[in-house]
């Protein structure tokens, strides 16, 4: 257990700048999720913390100690890889105990620790098997077990669930969260799946092209995005963007409104009009997609029971002004206006 | 396997039997000379030189083989077998050790001239022993390695082919495995010994079989480097048994020697067959 601090961390591969300066303070036992689209530098950031990638600029501290120059092993971290990276020729028990074996931990202690971890992860019946004799979910657990037995100060996860099917992903997501709570270990978790991010995170970091756009609790980030990118990336279906010039803003500014804050009214009423292009009834909710006169597409989220207009019909749209989020031409949030 | 009804094995009837008949014929065709050699090694000299030659084994088996093993023609066959074994095992193991280490260096370390070294190794693929045999002989002679095991083994111990094969294999090992080992605290050599070596097990076995046979079958090099009959290897030794001038060839003993020379490679192939085939087919990942 330890704190983790990143201070002005930058990374470039030769000429290409990948991380443009990230600052984070992770408290002891906190679960932090880094979320962002593919190629934004999530893995690079995580690998810098792990020590698998050098830090070009800035400082990384674990438990207050600068670790920039330390080998991964000396950083007191454990990492779970996307494709698990289990040693194929070792049994499950050997896989989990390998780190301890290298650290010259006495054999009986390795055995007890592996046993404990196996019990925690319900892996006891499989300890003697090879990784290839396990299902995807079980391999995932072994990878977690390998991280747990080391009793590290920080857990690092790089998209650990992306190779699992949807159902298993939901189950493992819960297990990871419970495990982290139980062990109280600081965790840094990378994903491009916003649902994973929302459900797992104490705080999440939304990355956009090498910059941390926003850091905060999931619901705060959802309710109060700092940038147009965050507003568009977090939330499904995504936030609707309208040109603010039509509602008294200046050219280039944008108005963001979440689908659930829009409501359909009779044609001719409301603040703006559009034509329904498709309706998706999902049971509990119905998504209505409209095209406005200027060609912008917007989505309205309605209660499942509410009456929806048919395709091709004209409809008006209205919303509360309080639900509007204004963004300037650079995509930054404008407040208090 | 035979009774597993997969689509390809399903074929029955005339075609099935014809295929088998063809295969059996092929086997007989290839096996016949070996059978003749075996028959010749169990009869007496006069029986061989007076046609027609018998097609069934005679009663001289023990006598001929005992004579070959203990006294031979120039040197006892037992001695030559031992020489061959030392040479073949030395070459096979040496090649594997050296090539797996160089492949490890080439794939996992970034050092100046890494590409250059790889291509240098690769280019030597084009230089078989025969091409460089004169300078190699010169070097071996100056190092005083004539008539010695070092002389038999060392000049043949580097293998571009094996280096290349291991390199290809290492490149298919996911990077994350090396990273996981690093996070677990394994240094480079530890990673090599604990992870890469066991993963290469089947590849090493396959290579061992191929290289053992390569070493066992060496003819030209042992012929040059050994002059003392005590250092002869069996494959060249057989040729040395042929008489020069008017001497009479002792065919039963020569044939017994030939048969004996075939046994060790066969044993190696059969005993490592399982690993060998796995090494050629899958890479256990
Ligand atoms: N070794 C490298 N050399 C040069 N560029 C690199 C290297 N590794 C990563 N990059 C670049 O850095 C950027 C960020 O890569 P990174 O792997 O961190 O993305 P990511 O956010 O993890 O994406 P994904 O969700 O697809 O895994 C990418 O544009 C990538 O091309
Ligand atoms: Mg990634």
């Amino acid at each position: 257990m330890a704190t983790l601090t990143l201070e002005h961390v930058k990374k470039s591969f030769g000429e290409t700048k990948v991380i443009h300066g990230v600052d984070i303070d992770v408290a002891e036992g906190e679960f932090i999720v880094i979320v962002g689209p593919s190629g934004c530098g999530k893995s690079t950031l995580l690998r810098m913390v792990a020590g698998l990638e050098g830090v070009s600029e800035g400082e990384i501290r674990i438990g207050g100690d600068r670790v920039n120059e330390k080998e991964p092993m000396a950083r007191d971290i454990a990492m779970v890889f996307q494709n698990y990276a289990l040693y194929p020729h070792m049994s499950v028990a050997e896989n989990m105990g390998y780190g301890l074996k290298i650290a010259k931990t006495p054999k009986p202690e390795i055995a007890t620790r592996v046993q404990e971890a196996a019990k925690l992860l319900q892996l006891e019946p499989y300890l003697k098997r090879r990784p290839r004799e396990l299902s995807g979910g079980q391999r995932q657990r072994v990878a977690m077990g390998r991280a747990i037995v080391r009793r590290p100060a920080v857990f690092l996860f790089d998209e650990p669930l992306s190779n699992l099917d949807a159902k298993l992903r939901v189950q493992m997501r819960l297990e990871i969260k419970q495990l982290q709570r139980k062990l109280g270990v600081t965790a840094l978790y990378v994903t491009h799946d916003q649902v994973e991010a929302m459900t797992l995170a104490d705080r999440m970091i939304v990355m956009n092209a090498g910059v941390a756009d926003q850091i905060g609790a999931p619901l705060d980030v959802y309710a109060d995005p700092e940038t147009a990118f965050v507003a568009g990336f977090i939330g499904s279906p995504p936030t609707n963007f309208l040109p603010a010039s039509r509602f008294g803003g200046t050219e280039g500014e944008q108005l963001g409104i979440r689908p659930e804050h829009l409501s359909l009214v009779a044609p001719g009423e409301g603040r703006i009009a559009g034509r329904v292009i498709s309706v998706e009834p999902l049971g509990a909710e119905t998504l209505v997609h409209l095209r406005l006169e200027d060609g912008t597409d917007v989505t309205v989220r309605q209660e499942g029971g509410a009456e929806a207009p048919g395709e091709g019909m004209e409809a008006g749209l209205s919303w509360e002004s309080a639900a509007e989020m204004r963004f300037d031409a650079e995509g930054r949030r404008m407040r208090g206006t | 396997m035979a009774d597993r009804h997969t689509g390809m094995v399903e074929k029955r009837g005339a075609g099935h039997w014809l295929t088998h008949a063809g295969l059996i014929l092929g086997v007989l065709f290839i096996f016949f000379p070996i059978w003749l050699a075996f028959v010749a090694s169990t009869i007496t000299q006069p029986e061989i030189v007076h046609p027609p030659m018998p097609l069934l084994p005679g009663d001289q088996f023990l006598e001929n083989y005992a004579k070959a093993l203990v006294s031979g023609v120039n040197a006892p066959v037992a001695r030559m077998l031992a020489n061959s074994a030392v040479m073949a095992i030395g070459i096979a193991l040496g090649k594997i050790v050296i090539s797996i280490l160089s492949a490890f260096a080439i794939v996992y370390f970034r050092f100046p001239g890494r590409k250059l070294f790889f291509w240098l190794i690769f280019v030597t693929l084009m230089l078989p022993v025969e091409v460089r045999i004169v300078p190699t002989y010169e070097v071996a002679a100056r190092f005083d390695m004539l008539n010695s095991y070092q002389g038999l083994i060392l000049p043949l111990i580097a293998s571009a082919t094996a280096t290349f094969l291991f390199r290809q294999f290492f490149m298919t090992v996911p990077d994350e495995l090396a990273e996981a080992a690093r996070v677990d605290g394994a240094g480079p050599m530890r990673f090599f010994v604990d992870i890469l070596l066991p993963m290469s097990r089947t590849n090493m076995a396959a290579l061992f079989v191929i290289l053992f046979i390569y070493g066992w079958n060496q003819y030209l090099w042992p012929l040059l480097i050994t002059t003392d009959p005590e250092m002869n290897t069996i494959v060249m030794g057989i040729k040395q048994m042929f008489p020069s001038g008017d001497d009479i060839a002792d065919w039963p003993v020569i044939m017994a020697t030939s048969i004996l020379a075939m046994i060790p490679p066969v044993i190696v192939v059969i005993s490592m067959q399982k690993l060998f085939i796995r090494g050629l087919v899958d890479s256990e990942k």
Side-chain angles (χ1 to χ4, degrees):
Chain A
M1 257 181 284
T3 58
L4 168 67
T5 311
L6 274 68
E7 215 173 78
H8 304 306
V9 169
K10 294 188 185 177
K11 176 73 188 179
S12 31
F13 292 105
E15 289 292 289
T16 353
K17 294 205 168 89
V18 176
I19 306 282
H20 301 280
V22 170
D23 292 87
I24 322 169
D25 251 310
V26 182
E28 228 170 86
E30 200 175 14
F31 200 122
I32 297 280
V33 176
I34 306 176
V35 63
S38 185
C40 69
K42 311 179 292 286
S43 298
T44 308
L45 196 62
L46 192 78
R47 292 162 54 81
M48 281 196 281
V49 176
L52 295 170
E53 209 77 77
V55 180
S56 305
E57 247 179 82
E59 190 169 270
I60 297 178
R61 290 192 293 271
I62 294 177
D65 299 327
R66 177 187 163 97
V67 295
N68 286 32
E69 289 78 23
K70 284 191 183 166
E71 269 292 300
M73 212 272 293
R75 294 184 180 204
D76 205 9
I77 49 114
M79 184 152 171
V80 177
F81 293 86
Q82 177 169 356
N83 61 15
Y84 321 136
L86 300 177
Y87 311 121
H89 58 287
M90 293 187 194
S91 69
V92 167
E94 286 165 336
N95 260 287
M96 296 208 276
Y98 185 58
L100 295 177
K101 190 174 140 201
I102 290 180
K104 301 212 165 66
T105 315
K107 276 215 178 89
E109 178 165 359
I110 297 182
T112 27
R113 284 219 228 165
V114 167
Q115 201 63 42
E116 272 171 27
K119 195 165 170 207
L120 205 59
L121 294 161
Q122 291 141 35
L123 279 173
E124 282 162 311
Y126 310 111
L127 280 175
K128 291 220 165 61
R129 292 213 199 160
R130 295 285 155 90
R132 86 178 108 87
E133 297 158 348
L134 298 176
S135 73
Q138 290 161 346
R139 286 182 209 184
Q140 174 57 50
R141 286 211 183 93
V142 178
M144 304 262 303
R146 189 165 64 178
I148 291 173
V149 292
R150 305 256 318 272
R151 295 191 186 146
V154 182
F155 276 149
L156 304 173
F157 299 90
D158 192 353
E159 310 208 16
L161 303 182
S162 56
N163 285 350
L164 302 179
D165 68 50
K167 203 169 160 207
L168 203 53
R169 203 165 347 175
V170 174
Q171 185 194 336
M172 286 306 293
R173 197 167 76 201
L174 286 172
E175 285 186 23
I176 288 181
K177 178 84 176 182
Q178 286 169 1
L179 205 63
Q180 189 265 349
R181 282 279 176 273
K182 198 186 242 163
L183 302 172
V185 179
T186 313
L188 200 56
Y189 184 108
V190 163
T191 179
H192 60 254
D193 179 350
Q194 50 155 317
V195 180
E196 246 170 61
M198 299 286 290
T199 50
L200 283 174
D202 292 325
R203 282 190 299 157
M204 66 186 195
I205 303 171
V206 186
M207 294 262 303
N208 175 22
V211 178
D213 263 22
Q214 187 166 4
I215 304 179
L219 289 178
D220 293 345
V221 173
Y222 182 84
D224 203 10
E226 287 293 341
T227 66
F229 171 81
V230 175
F233 189 78
I234 303 296
S236 166
T239 299
N240 299 299
F241 289 102
L242 303 171
S245 50
R246 298 185 54 182
F247 309 97
T250 55
E251 199 59 40
E253 290 177 14
Q254 284 185 305
L255 207 59
I257 307 162
R258 295 241 175 238
E260 61 269 31
H261 293 143
L262 284 176
S263 48
L264 291 170
V265 292
E269 291 176 30
R271 300 221 222 170
I272 197 166
R275 180 184 292 277
V276 177
I277 50 175
S278 71
V279 179
E280 294 179 284
L282 300 174
E285 62 182 32
T286 302
L287 302 180
V288 182
H289 302 279
L290 298 102
R291 181 157 298 156
L292 308 183
E293 293 123 16
D294 63 355
T296 334
D297 287 345
V298 300
T299 305
V300 179
R301 176 189 269 152
Q302 291 190 320
E303 290 288 312
E307 199 173 324
E311 281 174 29
M313 304 244 299
E314 296 284 338
L317 286 165
S318 77
W319 61 88
E320 307 265 326
S321 293
E324 286 175 3
M325 305 178 280
R326 279 177 184 273
F327 299 98
D328 68 14
E330 270 85 58
R332 275 189 300 271
R333 183 76 179 272
M334 299 160 69
R335 295 177 191 276
T337 43
Chain B
M1 280 290 256
D3 55 1
R4 200 187 284 171
H5 285 253
T6 57
M8 278 174 64
V9 188
E10 205 70 71
K11 210 170 62 179
R12 279 289 133 103
H16 182 74
W17 295 113
L18 257 163
T19 318
H20 272 255
L23 286 174
I24 289 167
L25 210 71
V27 168
L28 286 181
F29 187 73
I30 296 203
F31 188 67
F32 186 63
I34 299 174
W35 175 250
L36 271 193
F38 177 69
V39 170
S41 71
T42 59
I43 53 183
T44 58
Q45 175 80 356
E47 280 176 291
I48 292 182
V49 288
H50 291 295
M53 182 167 157
L55 287 178
L56 290 176
D59 53 3
Q60 301 294 303
F61 178 84
L62 286 179
E63 287 82 346
N64 289 340
Y65 279 82
K67 186 173 171 209
L69 277 175
V70 178
S71 53
V73 177
N74 302 314
V77 171
R79 173 80 202 180
M80 293 199 287
L81 279 173
N83 290 343
S84 273
V86 169
M87 180 180 183
I89 293 174
I91 288 178
L93 289 185
K95 271 179 190 283
I96 289 175
V97 168
I98 290 178
S99 59
I100 203 168
L101 281 170
S102 11
F104 177 57
I106 287 172
V107 175
Y108 285 95
F109 293 86
R110 244 145 283 274
F111 52 89
R114 171 163 158 266
K115 275 243 163 66
L116 177 77
F117 279 109
F118 172 68
W119 285 109
L120 277 181
I121 293 173
F122 195 61
V123 162
T124 61
L125 269 177
M126 297 168 207
L127 295 177
V129 181
E130 291 73 13
V131 176
R132 54 187 162 88
I133 202 153
V134 176
T136 311
Y137 179 83
E138 179 72 19
V139 171
R142 293 219 184 155
F143 274 111
D144 207 12
M145 294 200 293
L146 302 181
N147 288 316
S148 72
Y149 287 132
Q150 303 93 288
L152 281 172
I153 294 169
L154 289 184
L156 301 176
I157 208 169
S159 171
T161 325
T163 308
F164 190 68
L165 285 177
F166 280 124
R167 170 183 178 263
Q168 296 308 88
F169 171 66
F170 288 166
M171 302 220 302
T172 66
V173 174
D175 286 345
E176 290 191 352
L177 220 51
E179 291 177 347
R182 223 176 126 196
V183 172
D184 268 339
M189 279 330 273
R190 189 84 201 237
F191 168 68
F192 177 70
V193 173
D194 283 357
I195 317 264
L196 277 184
L197 276 190
M199 281 178 74
S200 320
R201 223 180 69 233
T202 53
N203 292 47
M204 286 195 286
L207 264 176
F208 180 83
V209 172
I210 294 170
L211 295 175
F212 179 87
I213 292 172
Y214 165 88
W216 188 267
N217 287 344
Q218 281 303 314
Y219 175 68
L220 190 56
W221 182 250
L223 196 65
L224 279 183
I225 197 108
T226 64
T227 45
D228 179 357
E230 284 291 302
M231 288 303 293
N232 283 0
T233 63
I234 187 127
V235 172
M236 63 166 289
I238 294 173
K239 175 70 174 61
Q240 305 290 74
M241 288 176 164
F242 288 21
S244 45
D246 298 336
D247 292 353
I248 301 165
D250 190 351
W251 287 113
V253 171
I254 295 178
M255 288 301 154
T257 310
S258 302
I259 296 290
L260 286 171
M262 270 185 277
I263 292 172
V266 169
I267 291 175
V268 167
V269 170
I270 290 177
S271 61
M272 302 194 81
Q273 193 179 26
K274 248 204 184 134
L275 276 176
F276 176 66
I277 293 189
R278 253 210 286 164
L280 293 184
V281 180
D282 71 25
S283 47
E284 202 184 329
K285 263 190 281 63

